Amino acid sequence: MSKLKDLERLLAQGKITRRDFLAQASALGVIAGAPAIFSNQALAATPNKGGKFTAGIGHGSTTDSLDPGTYENDFMINSSFTRFNFLTEISNTGELAGELAESWEASADAKTWTIKLRQGVEFHNGKAMTADDVVASINHHRGEDSGSAAKPIVDPIEEIKADGNNVVVTLSGGNADFPYLMSDYHLPIMQAKDGGVDWESGIGTGPYAMQSYDPGVRMIFKRNANYFKPDRAHFDEVEMITIADVAARTNALATGEIHMMDRVDIKTMHLLERNKSVKIEETSGNGHYSIPMRTTLEPFTDNNIRLALKYALDREALLETILRGHGYIGNDHPIGKANRYFAADLPQKSYDPDKSKFYLKEAGLSELSVDLSAADAAFGGAVDAAVLFKEHAAKAGITINVVREPNDGYWSNVWNTDNRGWCMCYWGGRPTEDWMFSTAYASGAEWNDSSWEHEEFNKLLVAARAELDEAKRRDRYVEMQRLVSDEGGVMVPVFNNYIFATSDKVAHDEQMANNWSDDGHKWAERWWFA
Amino acid sequence: MVAQRLGLGLLTLFVVSLIIFLGVEALPGNAAEAILGQSATPETVAALERQMGLDLPPHERYVKWLGGIIKGDFGVSIANSRQISELIGVRLANTVFLALMAAIISIPLALVLGILAALHRNSLYDRAVNVVALSAVSFPEFFVAYILILFLAVTFGWFPSLANVGPETPFWDRVYRCFLPAMTLTLVVVAQMMRMTRAAIINLLASPYIEMANLKGLSRARVIVHHALPNAWAPIITVIVLNLAYLIVGVVVVEVVFVYPGLGQLIVDSVRTRDVPVVQACSLIFATTYVLLNLTADILSILTNPRLLHPR
C-alpha cells in the first residue's frame, strides 16, 4: 500500500492529476475512498449551502414504482441518484470513485472481488448501513423470478456474501470492470428487511431523504443532515416535478418557477438562448442513435451488403438535420468519446456512394431493396432520419422502403426481433466498453440486436474483461471497435449531446459528468445556488 | 321514470366497462412489456407477467375485476402496486376542483352574456360577443392556453405558468395557481352555453304569451328574465350539464400544458403502460359522471317545467 500513499502525496502536491491518480491506483488493483482525498481541492470552490431547488423533468408517469428494478425513465433515475448511494459512482470528471465502497480488491483472475464498505454511514431513518444491506440490495435483482431490468448486470454474480465489514462477490468469469457495474442506477443500497429489501419506503443513505411522492406528479426531498460526503448536497430542499410537455417545461424555466429543465427542445433552443436568466448546458456523452441489422436474416448475412449500407448514409447531413449539430459523428461502433478506450485513430466511415456500389458488386448485386422500420419511439426524429437515409442511399442504387411502425410496442415487436430485419434504435451508452459490448454485441446477449456472432470479437471480449493491464486492455478494446465497425451488423451514425438548461442562479463544478444527462443525473448532490 | 333511467344508466356502465376492456386488450403489447420498455426480453417479460397475474386468460381477469368493483374494490394498479382508490382520490379531487372553478366563472358569465345578447338582439354588442366567443371556442385548447401563458405568465408575470398544486396547498393559493387553466377552460366552454341561452330565449319571443306580456307594456328586460327565461331553462340546463361533464372528462390537454395533476393525465399514463385496472376505473368514473350529470339535467328540466312529467 505504500505505492498508494506515494500517489496520494503526489496528488495532494498537485504533481499528478486526479485522472492519473485513479489510473495508477486502479492499476494497483485498489482504489481508496476518493472523495476523502479530493475534498481539499473541492473546498476551494466553497459552494453555498441552502435554498430550495426545483427541477422540471420531462419523464415520470403515474405508473412509476419505487422498486429500483423497474426504473426506466429519467424521473426515477434522477430520484435514484438523489435518494440513494451506490457501491461506486462515476465522478463529475468521469472517473470511477468509491461511494459506499471505501476500497476494493480483485483476485488475480478478476473473479473474486472483496469490497470494503465505508463505516459510519446511516440510512435516513438513522439505522447504520451494513454488509447485509448491500447483499440484500444486490440479491433483489437476482434469481429466477426477478423481473428486474438490472438482471443481465447481476447475472454473472455466482455468489455474494457478507464477511464482517466486507462484501465478497464471486463472478462466473473474470471482469476487471466489475466496480463500474456497481454504479448502475438500478443498484442502490437499501435496507435489508425480512429476507428482501425495503424499497417501498424509499429510504436510502443518499444526499436527500424523500419526504413525499406522488407518482407522475412530484417528489419532494429534504437534505440528509448526516450525509457522509462533507462537500456535497448543498440544497436544503429539492423538489422534482414531472413536466412532460417541453413547452411547459421551457415556460416554467423562463418564468423562474423551476431552476433546471432536462431535454431542451433542439428546435427552439436558439430562442431560449436569448433569455439572459437561463444557461443552456451541453455535454457530449455515449448516448447514440443506432440502426441494427439482423445479421442472421437475408440480405444482412453478407458483410458486403452491411458495408454497402454503412457507406450509403450521409452522417454529416443526419447530424445537421436531425440533431442540428448537437452531437458528433459515429463510426459504426458504440464506444463514445466519454469512454476510456475510445479508438480515435480508427478510419472514419463517410458518405461514399461509389464505395457503396463497389461493396454491392462484391455481394454480386447491382441494386438492392430493403425495408427499414422506424418509429419516433426509437428517438425523436427517427422516421425523418430513415427518410433522409432513403434519399442518400438512392444515389448508391439502394432502395430503402421506410416502414412506419407504431410507437406502442416498438421495443417488443420491432426492435431486437426476427420479425424485422432492420430498424431504428437508441442506446443510452454505458460507462465501460465491456458493459456496452457485452450488453449488445456479445454472442448470446439478450440485447444483441444485430444477432451478431463473431468468434474473434467474442474471444477478445472475454480476454479484455479479465485483463488488468491497462495497455493490453486498450489494444484489445481498440481492436474490438475496429471489428464492430468493419464487420458488425450495427450502424452507429451519430452520438447525441445531452442538452439541459438551468437558471443563472445555479452553479456547479467546472466539469460536469457526461456518463448521463444532467451532470450524470447527480445534479441534486453536486449543484448549489451561486 | 327515474328508476328506469337509473337502470339504463347501470346498463350503460356495464357496456362501457366491457368496451374499455376489449379496447385495451386489442392494443399491441401488455403492461409487462410497457413497464420494461427496452429492457423487455422474453425472460423478464414472462417473470413480470407471472408476478402481475397477466398470464390468466382475458375473461377471467375481467370477471375478477368486475367482482371487485361490485364490492367497492377497484383493485391495485398492476404497474406500481398501489391501491387504485388511493391513486384516483387526490386526482379526482383536483379535477373536480378545476371543473368547479371553471364552472363558477363560466356559467354565470355565459348566462348573463346570453341574456344580454337576446335582449339586444342583432345589435353591435350581440355580434361582437358572438364573434369573440366563437373565436375562443374555435382555437384548440392548447393554443388558448399558450396565448394566456405568453401574456399573463411570461410577459406580465401575474400568474404562474405551472398549476403546481399539492394536497397541502392552501385554498386561496390553489385558486391563484389554477387561474390560468380555469380561464382557458372558461374560454372554451362559454360560447356554447351563451349561444344556447340566447337561442332558447329568442325562440320563445314569438310565443303568444310573450306577445301578451309585451302588450301589457312590460319592459323588455322584465319580459325576458321573468317570462321567457323560466320556459327556456330545459335546453340551457342540458347544455350546461354537458359542458360540466366535459370539464371533468375532457381536459387532458389543459392538464398537460399547465402540468395539473388531474385524472386526464392519469388515464393517459395508464393507457400507455397497459394498466388495465386503472384505465377501467377512470373510464367507469368518467362514464358515471356522464350518466349522473345527464340524470341531474333531466330531473332539473322536469322541476323547471312540470309539464314534462305528463307527456301527452
Side-chain angles (χ1 to χ4, degrees), chain B residues 1 230-231 233-234 298-312:
Chain B
M1 198 168 144
N231 274 316
W233 274 127
D298 287 348
I299 291 168
L300 284 178
S301 301
I302 290 166
L303 284 181
T304 59
N305 188 352
R307 273 178 306 177
L308 291 176
L309 267 181
H310 310 285
R312 266 176 289 193

Side-chain angles (χ1 to χ4, degrees), chain B residues 232-278:
Chain B
W233 274 127
I236 297 174
I237 286 172
T238 311
V239 166
I240 288 179
V241 164
L242 274 181
N243 276 298
L244 266 182
Y246 165 79
L247 285 177
I248 291 180
V249 309
V251 298
V252 63
V253 175
V254 174
E255 284 177 14
V256 169
V257 172
F258 291 102
V259 197
Y260 188 74
L263 269 188
Q265 192 55 51
L266 178 69
I267 196 169
V268 170
D269 281 347
S270 308
V271 170
R272 203 169 46 77
T273 45
R274 310 285 176 276
D275 198 344
V276 184
V278 180

Side-chain angles (χ1 to χ4, degrees), chain A residues 433-446:
Chain A
E433 290 74 8
D434 178 62
W435 197 340
M436 188 68 231
F437 281 141
S438 26
T439 311
Y441 294 81
S443 158
E446 281 300 348

Side-chain angles (χ1 to χ4, degrees), chain A residues 41-335:
Chain A
Q41 297 185 349
L43 277 176
T46 47
N48 294 322
K49 296 269 170 198
K52 182 183 174 184
F53 187 89
T54 312
I57 307 294
H59 282 174
S61 148
T62 35
T63 49
D64 288 340
S65 156
L66 283 174
D67 180 353
T70 65
Y71 294 172
E72 49 90 23
N73 68 50
D74 282 354
F75 189 92
M76 296 318 289
I77 297 173
N78 278 315
S79 100
S80 186
F81 284 119
T82 306
R83 285 178 289 139
F84 292 127
N85 284 127
F86 302 76
L87 283 176
T88 59
E89 68 166 326
I90 310 293
S91 76
N92 58 315
T93 48
E95 286 107 1
L96 179 72
E99 196 161 52
L100 290 180
E102 199 168 71
S103 63
W104 47 85
E105 226 159 316
S107 60
D109 58 358
K111 258 184 161 180
T112 310
W113 288 82
T114 308
I115 299 164
K116 183 164 176 258
L117 297 181
R118 191 177 295 281
Q119 284 303 284
V121 177
E122 282 179 7
F123 283 102
H124 297 147
N125 59 2
K127 202 183 137 277
M129 190 260 315
T130 67
D132 291 330
D133 296 319
V134 175
V135 172
S137 298
I138 301 300
N139 279 340
H140 178 62
H141 307 273
R142 296 173 68 214
E144 273 298 290
D145 249 7
S146 157
S148 168
K151 194 162 187 266
I153 301 175
V154 295
D155 255 354
I157 298 179
E158 265 179 358
E159 195 194 8
I160 176 165
K161 60 177 196 293
D163 175 18
N165 183 30
N166 294 346
V167 173
V168 182
V169 182
T170 314
L171 305 175
S172 53
N175 188 349
D177 283 338
F178 178 73
Y180 275 94
L181 297 179
M182 293 297 107
S183 70
D184 184 70
Y185 60 78
H186 292 106
L187 304 174
I189 303 308
M190 301 166 284
Q191 290 181 95
K193 191 185 79 176
D194 315 327
V197 278
D198 169 25
W199 55 263
E200 292 91 341
S201 66
I203 289 178
T205 60
Y208 297 89
M210 184 174 93
Q211 299 297 297
S212 71
Y213 176 40
D214 189 353
V217 182
R218 70 170 65 75
M219 199 183 272
I220 296 174
F221 309 86
K222 222 174 89 187
R223 188 175 190 280
N224 174 4
N226 294 329
Y227 195 43
F228 70 88
K229 295 185 193 174
D231 56 342
R232 291 295 189 196
H234 308 296
F235 305 117
D236 289 334
E237 264 181 273
V238 171
E239 180 171 7
M240 268 166 59
I241 316 175
T242 292
I243 310 181
D245 183 35
V246 70
R249 215 152 64 234
T250 315
N251 277 331
L253 184 68
T255 55
E257 279 175 73
I258 57 174
H259 301 105
M260 182 274 246
M261 72 175 277
D262 65 351
R263 292 167 184 264
V264 170
D265 183 10
I266 298 178
K267 291 193 208 91
T268 58
M269 202 173 126
H270 60 287
L271 298 172
L272 188 61
E273 271 167 355
R274 290 190 205 154
N275 190 326
K276 293 275 175 285
S277 62
V278 168
K279 282 190 296 185
I280 294 181
E281 308 278 5
E282 196 164 345
T283 50
S284 282
N286 292 331
H288 54 272
Y289 299 169
S290 75
I291 322 179
M293 312 170 236
R294 299 295 276 184
T295 53
T296 45
L297 299 180
E298 291 298 338
F300 308 108
T301 45
D302 186 345
N303 191 40
N304 286 314
I305 299 272
R306 306 204 288 262
L307 281 169
L309 290 169
K310 284 175 182 176
Y311 282 107
L313 170 62
D314 188 348
R315 292 149 206 262
E316 298 282 350
L318 202 67
L319 178 64
E320 279 315 308
T321 326
I322 306 295
L323 282 173
R324 298 191 187 225
H326 296 288
Y328 58 97
I329 300 285
N331 203 11
D332 295 331
H333 63 73
I335 306 307

